[in-house]
Amino acid sequence: MGALARIRARARRRPVVTLDYPRRGRRGIRRWIPSWRQGLGSLTLGLTALGILFALVYASVDIPDENATAQREANVYYWADGTQMVSTGEVNRQNVRLSEIPDAVENAVISAENDTFYSDSGVSPKGLARAAVNMVRGQETQGGSTITQQYVKNTYLSQDQTVTRKVKEFVIALKVDRKKSKREILQGYLNTSWFGRGAYGIEAAAHAYYGIPARQLDPSQGAALAALLKGAEQYDPSASAANHRRSVARWKWILDRQVKAGLMEQSVRAKFSTFPEPHKESRATSLGGQTGYLVDVANKYVRQHTGLTAKDLARGGYQIHTTFDRDKVRSLKRSVERVVDRDIDPKKRATDKGVQVGAASVRPADGAIVALYGGADATKHFTNNADTSGVPVGSAFKPFVLASALEHGIRTSKGRNAAWQPASADSFYGDGSGDGLLRGPSAPAVGSRAHADIGTSTPDAVQPDSSHPTLRQALAKGGNATYVRLGKDVGLERVRSTAIASGLLDGSMARLDKTFPVGTSTPSAIRMAGAYSTFVNRGLQHDPYSVTKVVKDDVTVDGLARPGARRALDPDVADEAADAMRGVGASAVRRPVAAGRTGDQDRLRSAWFTATTEELSTAVTMFRTSPGQAQLMPMSGVGGARSQHGNVFPVRIWRDYVDGTTT
């Protein structure tokens, strides 16, 4: 037999492999039931295919970069007493370390969400299978995820409910579980989870529901917050009666589950029989009212002293500790509103339209800004009236002229051999119609006033006439002409230097013309309050400051050391100027030291009152604006004919603020 014939013969004898399905030799339903060999083969083939597919997916899916939302945090601002004032930013989140979260809170979350967290591989195959089944049924794929999977979803993926996203979540969770420790994963989960009320993360949630940081949560509060992870829309107890019932039931279940899992002693569980009702929803994320102005001043200070830019702050994650006193801020706001609501009526008087108020309080001992009033609402009136330049300060500037005269003396002749006289607050001085020379009492030379003493006679030795008031009297009763002449004789440059040394900013100083001594400069209320503090500090000047500390990622930002004191005035000069200023506001409060006011000319467009004690220095200003008009509007007629062009209102605000009464 030839070779070809032999090959053909063997081929005919070899059995032909065919799939025996439907099965031959079987009848009825048995014909359609696969044999065990067929079933096992199919299962093996299917599992092999799935294994290959999973290996391909596992190899192709890497741990991606954290998504933008997961990286974004809020900036959190704190009152001087350490309580939270506001959080700002698109995402209300403040990341905290796991060590700052009580163990009881961790246990509550693990018991509620994933009691096998510390022993599992980071994934739930049942959850993935359930997602696939739900998709086939047309239902949502959510449900059954481990804490690791939820962390992956929060941090690396979108919130889409699709099988594709669930498969990625599953694979990435496996890789994350191998790469990160369980503690790192739990920390990330607690910092990225949604708790409702605009709060991402346990720290923001603790503030949103209980007004405390996460480290102060007790086991009962921790269980109540853990209940929200099931769905804040259905478990925020304040939202509805049904929500409250669901929340209480799950709170009890979580506490009991901790006992069952050995994470809480029964004796501890027995202490929590009453549901920890959260505060009513009041998100501390609004920049309305005075909050926006406070944040504005704090941010400005941070940018000026730390090198951080507006872009840096916009990225979030900073904890900013301020000097603002919550009670004083609220008290100042109430005082402004009481006086304005009672005395200013735009519907009744056209001259009352566009009235604005700005105010600030500074602590003289160190320059801390403790309160300010920037306007009616920071979300509607964007200019911060407490920190704006552009409002002429008027007669509130005169104490700096007086202090300069006391420091340097008064020039009585011109030329290379000019003669100088030392001055005192009780020296009589011409009002411009006379020769402008000092007459009567004069204090001895002090500090840089190394000039001859002109005598120590008492005020009674020479009686003032209508054209020669004392410098003290001219300060208290207007005396514009006297102070115009005084500034000229002291030297406008010297007056300017004294004002800047006391704390006013160079950029706010007006042109050095004849009206400069009577307040054409435009310092802010903050700077005026700070500069007046120099008088009660015996000549030591503190720059106003609003931030004590900035922290990001547990690292304190440099550049915010408390400003040191600088010698601005001789101590005796400061004391004498302060004593002269007592008469200006002596009837206003129990222990005023200084006060200032505008003149009474119709052309003036602002009203000021500034006063200081050893405890608090406050400046209040009132002025008028009109939309689209750069210039301030006249104050004549504001509040009625008896308002002295609005001058009475800053005094009333100040008095109400300090004493709690309005006259």
Side-chain angles (χ1 to χ4, degrees), residues 123-132 134 141-145 149 166 170:
V123 296
S124 170
K126 290 182 180 179
L128 181 60
R130 186 182 301 113
N134 287 344
T141 62
Q142 179 67 25
S145 296
Q149 287 176 265
K166 291 291 290 186
F170 189 92

Side-chain angles (χ1 to χ4, degrees), residues 324-341:
F324 305 129
D325 183 303
R326 184 205 309 255
D327 292 336
K328 284 187 171 59
V329 169
R330 290 176 177 174
S331 179
L332 182 56
K333 177 178 180 288
R334 285 194 299 266
S335 295
V336 172
E337 290 175 347
R338 271 197 289 261
V339 173
V340 170
D341 290 347

